[in-house]
């Protein structure tokens, strides 16, 4: 069914608008299901039963006839909604702008059960007699569930079907109390208990059909008496901002529970997708939400507010796993630390693969409430790779922290003064024309073996970890345009031709004005590396956390972090397992790749207070490891740092060189552990606990004017 409907939907878009195609096909689905179930058309009076006639090709007529003969009583409603989104029956540009996407059913259940069903089950298990069970059934049929970004109704549909299954379970238990089979009756739980907010009218129309399908199919399968279908409430509007005579925050309808999958939209693309004016208004209406957060955190903040004020019992959201990054954690932490009725995280999955192979994201799930109920941390232990079955391990814990972990609260660590001014993100050129190949350097009249001060070697994260190319940049830092033109006229003309046209279109006035300079020249880094022969570099985003030396005078790209520490001992500590464990926990992620963050990974990282002998051992071990690494990459043509790290981490690689590399890594890890004064066999949790404690001790000493060695 899927490919046929998808093909028909796409072919309709060749001559009709996406909205016309949606309405046309939805009408056919509703009519087919009404006929197949023997329902009255009055039961679907709130749905589209007519649409504008569309001119169809003969092949489209045949495809439509085939689809209408399908057994629509067996087709999952949420699949229908997903199909319209995934096959572009809804406007693809609009879907990208809104961040909409399909949420697979199994993922939705992992969210809906702890958000909605688990607290209701606790209520039911407290019932001890028939009267209390009947009272609970009455309450079950009156609760309201809100999805403030409902799309085509996927999450609401799953919520409804789980409520219906739970209702039948309670009815069976009731029958056991009275010694009789449950009486046939019209469904008490109905779609009228579902509320959605959706900004896209076409998606809202699909959602109404999806929820109606879910109801009539479920009643048909359970052989219950079919009463008149009460319609769900799907409000077509913006869920965050109400723009009119008075611009204000949008109100959300009353609900007992909130579940949803708000738009996946990073902070850096909000202005381009939503418009600068909208983003400015949004931030003005939610002043306590930091400007640096992703779009989804406005939904998270709004739901948390409603739970904390007692209007909503629990909320649960699916988000990207960037919710654990420092800028987004601020929102979570503020609600967890609130003095008045603080929020508790009741369930969290920090990193879950997206099942749809077409979506390059990893998700997180969070459930929030103000109850004292035991919390559950869930972790994917198998299936993180795309397309593999997911196996999840659940742990009951007393508390879940803002980073969605339950063991060690690394967010307690503070910035250390002794680490400030040492780590910097590299330079953002903002203009491809700054880059030069060796031949282009020669065309400008210079020798790559004897470069003038204005031409410098250039390195990006990709080149560090993959194949290194000999590239250069024109770095006019410290020169005015007139000085550049006078001293290096060829470079001036090159930048004027290859950089200035792009810079003239840049949104930032300073970048338009200073078009001959990098977009981010990072003066503090230039001052910090003055007098050094080398500095450390590491990629911002990489599968492996690798550090390497970079010779002074090289311009590190903004995809690299530059750390101005001079000794092999510093390199050894940062390259060790201890720092790797810390950076993986405190940093963020881009899809499945860890991201290094200066504020969290470096500024809060406590270096060891070890003796001179211990530091010497670390430096010696680091030097041996680095020398062997360089020898391997130099002796095997094409062997990159990424490939080498893959081989070291793979049990399939057993060459003598790789085994020796592993032995050197173990030696370094042991030396660093001894420098800290710790056993070499500490677990990751124990390492994190020790580092947080050491961080706080260092900070206390710094407050007293002492500087850790």
């Amino acid at each position: 069914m899927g490919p046929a409907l998808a093909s028909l939907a796409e072919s309709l878009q060749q001559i009709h608008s996406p909205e016309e195609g949606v309405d046309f096909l939805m009408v056919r689905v509703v009519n087919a299901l009404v006929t197949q179930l023997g329902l009255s058309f009055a039961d679907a009076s709130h749905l589209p039963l007519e649409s504008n006639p569309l001119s169809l090709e003969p092949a489209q007529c045949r495809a439509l006839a085939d689809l209408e003969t399908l057994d629509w009583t067996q087709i999952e409603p949420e699949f229908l909604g997903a199909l319209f989104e995934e096959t572009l029956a809804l406007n693809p540009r609009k879907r990208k702008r809104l961040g909409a996407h399909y949420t697979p059913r199994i993922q939705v259940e992992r969210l809906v059960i702890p958000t909605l069903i688990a607290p209701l089950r606790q209520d039911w298990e407290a019932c001890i007699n028939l009267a209390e069970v009947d009272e609970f059934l009455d309450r079950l049929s009156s609760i309201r569930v809100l999805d403030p970004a409902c799309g085509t109704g996927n999450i609401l549909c799953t919520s409804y079907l789980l409520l219906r299954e739970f209702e039948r379970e309670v009815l069976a238990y009731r029958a056991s109390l009275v010694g009789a089979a449950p009486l046939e009756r019209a469904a008490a739980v109905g779609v009228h208990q579902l509320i959605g907010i959706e900004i896209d009218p076409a998606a809202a129309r699909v959602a109404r059909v999806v929820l109606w399908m879910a109801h009539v199919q479920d009643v048909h399968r359970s052989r219950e008496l079919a009463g008149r279908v009460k319609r769900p409430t799907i409000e077509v509007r913006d869920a965050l901002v109400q723009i009119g005579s008075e611009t204000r925050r949008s109100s959300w309808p009353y609900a007992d529970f909130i579940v949803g999958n708000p738009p996946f939209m990073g902070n850096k693309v909000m202005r381009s997708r939503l418009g600068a004016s909208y983003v400015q208004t949004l931030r003005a209406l939610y002043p306590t939400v930091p400007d640096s957060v992703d779009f989804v955190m406005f939904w998270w903040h709004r739901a948390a507010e409603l739970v904390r004020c007692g209007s909503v019992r629990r909320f649960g959201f699916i988000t990207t796993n960037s919710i654990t990054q420092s800028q987004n954690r601020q929102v979570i932490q503020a609600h967890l630390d609130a003095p008045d009725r603080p929020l508790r995280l009741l369930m969290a999955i920090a990193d879950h693969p997206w099942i749809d192979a077409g979506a390059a994201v990893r998700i997180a799930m969070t459930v929030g409430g103000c109850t004292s109920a035991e919390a559950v941390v869930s972790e994917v232990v198998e299936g993180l790779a795309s397309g593999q079955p997911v196996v999840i391990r659940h742990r009951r814990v007393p508390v879940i922290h803002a980073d969605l972990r339950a063991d060690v609260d690394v967010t307690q660590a503070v910035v250390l003064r002794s680490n400030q001014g040492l780590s910097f993100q590299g330079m953002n050129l903002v203009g491809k024309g700054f880059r030069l190949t060796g031949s282009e350097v020669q065309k400008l009249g210079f020798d790559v073996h004897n470069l003038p001060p204005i031409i410098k070697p250039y390195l990006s994260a990709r080149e560090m970890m993959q194949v290194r190319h000999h590239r250069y940049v024109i770095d006019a830092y410290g020169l005015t345009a007139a000085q550049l033109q006078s001293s290096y006229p060829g470079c001036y003309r090159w930048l004027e031709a290859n950089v200035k046209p792009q810079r003239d279109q840049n949104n930032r006035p300073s970048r338009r004005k200073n078009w001959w300079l990098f977009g981010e020249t990072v003066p503090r880094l230039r001052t910090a590396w003055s007098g050094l022969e080398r500095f450390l570099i590491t990629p911002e985003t990489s599968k492996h956390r690798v550090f390497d030396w970079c010779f002074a005078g090289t311009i590190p790209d903004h995809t690299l972090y530059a750390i101005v520490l001079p000794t092999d001992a510093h390199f050894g500590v940062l390259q060790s397992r201890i720092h790797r464990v810390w950076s993986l926990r405190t940093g963020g992620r881009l899809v499945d790749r860890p991201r290094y963050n200066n504020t969290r990974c470096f500024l809060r990282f406590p270096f060891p207070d070890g003796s001179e002998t211990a530091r010497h051992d670390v430096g010696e071990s680091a030097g041996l490891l680095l020398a062997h690494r360089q020898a391997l990459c130099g002796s095997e043509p094409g062997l990159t740092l990424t490939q080498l790290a893959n081989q070291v981490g793979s049990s399939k690689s057993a060459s003598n060189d790789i085994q020796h590399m592993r032995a050197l890594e173990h030696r370094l890890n042991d030396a660093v552990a001894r420098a800290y004064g710790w056993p070499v066999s500490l677990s990751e949790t124990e390492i994190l606990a020790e580092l947080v404690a050491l961080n706080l001790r260092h900070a206390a000493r710094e407050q007293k004017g002492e500087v850790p060695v």
Side-chain angles (χ1 to χ4, degrees):
M1 187 276 287
L5 184 56
S7 176
L8 179 57
E10 290 184 17
S11 68
L12 289 176
Q13 286 192 66
Q14 304 301 317
I15 50 177
H16 303 288
S17 72
E19 288 76 13
E20 287 177 323
V22 167
D23 287 344
F24 179 79
L25 292 174
M26 284 294 98
V27 167
R28 296 316 187 268
V29 171
V30 171
N31 289 338
L33 193 53
V34 167
T35 301
Q36 291 175 13
L37 291 178
L39 302 176
S40 165
F41 279 94
D43 292 327
S45 60
H46 65 292
L47 301 175
L49 294 173
E50 296 182 0
S51 66
N52 295 328
L54 302 183
S55 56
L56 301 180
E57 302 288 340
Q60 293 174 328
C61 291
R62 290 192 296 272
L64 183 62
D66 291 340
L67 288 171
E68 289 177 335
T69 61
L70 292 173
D71 184 359
W72 287 94
T73 66
Q74 302 301 317
I75 295 173
E76 292 185 0
E78 60 265 53
F79 173 75
L80 182 70
L83 191 61
F84 277 110
E85 291 196 64
E86 293 301 311
T87 58
L88 309 182
L90 299 180
N91 191 318
R93 293 181 180 177
K94 185 182 298 182
R95 186 171 73 251
K96 183 176 181 180
R97 178 174 61 83
L98 298 176
H101 44 272
Y102 168 56
T103 311
R105 168 88 184 253
I106 190 169
Q107 291 183 201
V108 178
E109 289 184 348
R110 289 179 184 139
L111 178 77
V112 173
I113 290 173
T115 305
L116 175 61
I117 302 301
L120 292 175
R121 185 172 293 280
Q122 291 174 353
D123 295 347
W124 171 46
E125 290 174 350
C127 298
I128 59 176
N129 55 47
L130 182 61
E132 291 181 352
V133 171
D134 285 338
E135 181 182 350
F136 173 76
L137 284 168
D138 291 339
R139 282 191 284 118
L140 189 63
S141 62
S142 64
I143 66 165
R144 292 164 66 87
V145 181
L146 168 67
D147 183 345
C150 73
T152 56
N154 180 316
I155 291 181
L156 287 177
C157 179
T158 301
S159 299
Y160 171 70
L161 294 174
L162 288 173
L163 278 174
R164 292 274 292 151
E165 291 173 9
F166 182 50
E167 181 189 37
R168 283 192 285 272
E169 184 180 350
V170 177
L171 285 172
Y173 174 74
R174 179 185 182 277
S176 69
L177 293 178
V178 298
L183 296 175
E184 280 192 319
R185 65 184 192 120
V189 169
V191 290
H192 62 284
Q193 297 171 241
L194 308 175
I195 312 162
I197 301 176
E198 172 54 44
I199 198 169
D200 189 316
R205 289 195 293 274
V206 175
R208 294 187 184 102
V209 172
V210 164
L211 294 173
W212 173 80
M213 280 184 64
H215 178 77
V216 297
Q217 285 181 347
D218 192 69
V219 169
H220 172 71
R221 291 169 185 164
S222 59
R223 302 178 182 274
E224 295 175 353
L225 299 177
R228 182 68 177 269
V229 180
K230 298 178 182 179
R231 67 188 66 180
T233 301
I234 307 294
E235 301 180 4
V236 182
R237 59 181 176 89
D238 191 306
L240 296 175
V241 177
Q242 180 178 330
I243 299 177
S245 57
E246 178 186 357
T247 301
R248 57 178 185 238
R249 289 173 28 154
S250 294
S251 61
W252 287 5
Y254 167 77
D256 299 280
F257 300 93
I258 295 173
V259 288
N261 184 11
F264 292 178
M265 192 181 304
N267 172 269
K268 294 181 180 180
V269 300
M270 285 173 59
R271 287 184 178 273
S272 62
R273 294 192 186 178
L274 300 173
S277 176
Y278 180 91
V279 173
Q280 183 177 353
T281 300
L282 177 70
R283 289 172 175 165
L285 293 174
Y286 297 84
T288 60
V289 178
D291 290 349
S292 59
V293 304
D294 294 341
F295 194 35
V296 67
M297 299 312 296
F298 288 91
W299 268 269
W300 208 99
H301 168 72
R302 187 78 181 97
E305 281 185 328
L306 293 172
V307 168
R308 287 182 47 224
C309 74
S311 299
V312 173
R313 187 170 175 182
R314 284 189 185 187
F315 78 91
F317 281 143
I318 294 174
T319 67
T320 57
N321 61 1
S322 64
I323 194 174
T324 62
Q325 293 181 3
S326 57
Q327 73 273 15
N328 293 324
R329 286 204 303 259
Q330 299 175 77
V331 176
I332 302 175
Q333 195 69 58
H335 287 286
L336 298 183
D337 293 342
D340 181 28
R341 194 174 159 85
L343 186 77
R344 291 185 70 240
L345 291 176
L346 302 174
M347 189 282 288
I349 302 178
D351 188 26
H352 189 297
W354 186 258
I355 294 180
D356 188 309
V361 296
R362 297 278 275 273
I363 66 161
M365 299 186 193
T366 48
V367 175
C370 287
T371 176
S372 59
E374 199 171 28
V376 175
V377 164
S378 300
E379 179 184 4
V380 176
V381 294
E382 291 183 25
L384 277 173
S386 177
Q388 294 183 0
V390 172
V391 177
I392 294 182
R393 179 178 62 198
H394 306 282
R395 288 189 296 122
R396 297 190 179 277
V397 295
V399 64
I400 300 175
H401 306 301
D403 61 356
L404 309 191
R405 304 287 184 173
D407 44 11
V408 179
D409 186 5
V410 296
T411 63
Q412 293 180 3
V414 299
V415 171
L416 298 173
R417 295 175 189 171
S418 52
N419 286 12
Q420 293 179 331
L422 298 175
S423 175
F424 305 88
Q425 192 160 17
M427 301 179 193
N428 191 356
L429 305 185
V430 190
K432 295 180 180 179
F434 287 104
R435 302 190 189 106
L436 301 171
T437 63
S439 61
E440 288 169 338
V441 171
Q442 293 175 345
K443 288 179 181 178
L444 288 173
F446 302 115
D447 181 357
V448 295
H449 302 294
N450 186 24
L451 293 172
I454 197 170
I455 306 289
K456 295 183 176 70
Y458 169 78
L459 188 65
S460 69
R462 179 181 291 274
E463 290 169 329
M464 173 191 170
M465 298 301 294
Q466 304 296 334
V467 178
R468 296 201 180 187
H469 303 284
H470 293 291
R471 293 201 293 171
Y472 308 87
V473 287
I474 299 175
D475 179 20
Y477 178 74
L479 298 178
T480 65
Q483 290 170 335
L484 173 64
Q485 187 175 24
S486 174
S487 301
Y488 303 99
C491 292
Y492 179 90
R493 289 192 297 270
W494 176 277
L495 295 179
E496 187 179 38
N498 296 289
V499 174
K500 190 174 186 298
Q502 298 176 22
R503 283 293 189 86
D504 286 342
Q505 307 301 317
N506 197 281
N507 291 329
R508 294 191 189 180
S510 63
R511 290 180 175 174
R512 295 196 300 271
K513 179 181 177 181
N514 301 312
W515 55 267
W516 67 96
L517 299 176
F518 298 161
E520 300 294 338
T521 57
V522 198
R524 293 179 63 226
L525 170 58
R526 295 172 185 268
T527 300
W529 72 25
S530 177
L532 295 180
E533 295 182 355
R534 62 181 184 174
F535 56 91
L536 288 165
I537 53 174
T538 191
E540 178 188 26
T541 304
S542 177
K543 176 182 177 182
H544 304 287
R545 182 51 46 209
V546 176
F547 290 81
D548 202 359
W549 289 112
C550 187
F551 289 108
T554 301
I555 297 297
D557 182 76
H558 70 283
T559 58
L560 290 168
Y561 273 97
I563 301 171
V564 288
L565 292 171
T567 70
D568 281 348
H570 291 118
F571 166 81
V573 172
L574 293 175
Q575 189 61 75
S576 72
R577 172 177 178 251
I578 287 175
H579 185 68
R580 182 170 65 251
V581 168
W582 175 263
S583 64
L584 285 173
R585 180 61 173 271
T586 58
R589 283 186 176 272
L590 180 63
V591 190
D592 60 342
R593 290 173 295 159
R595 299 187 74 176
Y596 201 78
N597 176 282
N598 182 46
T599 303
R600 297 286 176 178
C601 299
F602 185 83
L603 292 181
R604 288 170 164 80
F605 178 72
F607 282 85
D609 287 335
S611 65
E612 184 63 35
T613 300
R615 285 198 293 271
H616 177 270
D617 289 345
V618 171
E620 184 178 57
S621 298
L624 291 171
L625 182 143
L626 183 62
H628 186 61
R629 189 169 78 183
Q630 292 172 337
L632 286 178
C633 291
S635 62
E636 295 186 31
L639 180 63
T640 66
L641 290 179
T642 295
Q643 292 170 343
L644 179 58
N646 286 337
Q647 291 182 30
V648 172
S650 172
S651 59
K652 297 179 181 179
S653 300
S655 70
N656 291 335
D657 285 336
I658 295 301
Q659 290 182 9
H660 185 51
M661 190 72 184
R662 291 177 187 139
L664 291 173
E665 287 190 350
H666 285 304
R667 171 177 170 166
L668 174 63
N669 292 333
D670 291 352
V672 173
R674 287 192 296 269
Y676 278 99
W678 303 340
V680 298
S681 58
L682 287 182
S683 68
E684 292 188 2
T685 299
E686 290 169 331
I687 288 173
L688 292 170
E690 292 286 356
L691 287 172
V692 170
L694 183 59
N695 167 278
L696 297 177
R697 291 198 299 272
H698 278 359
R701 290 166 56 187
E702 291 177 347
Q703 287 289 335
K704 298 176 182 178
E706 304 174 15
V707 179
V709 178

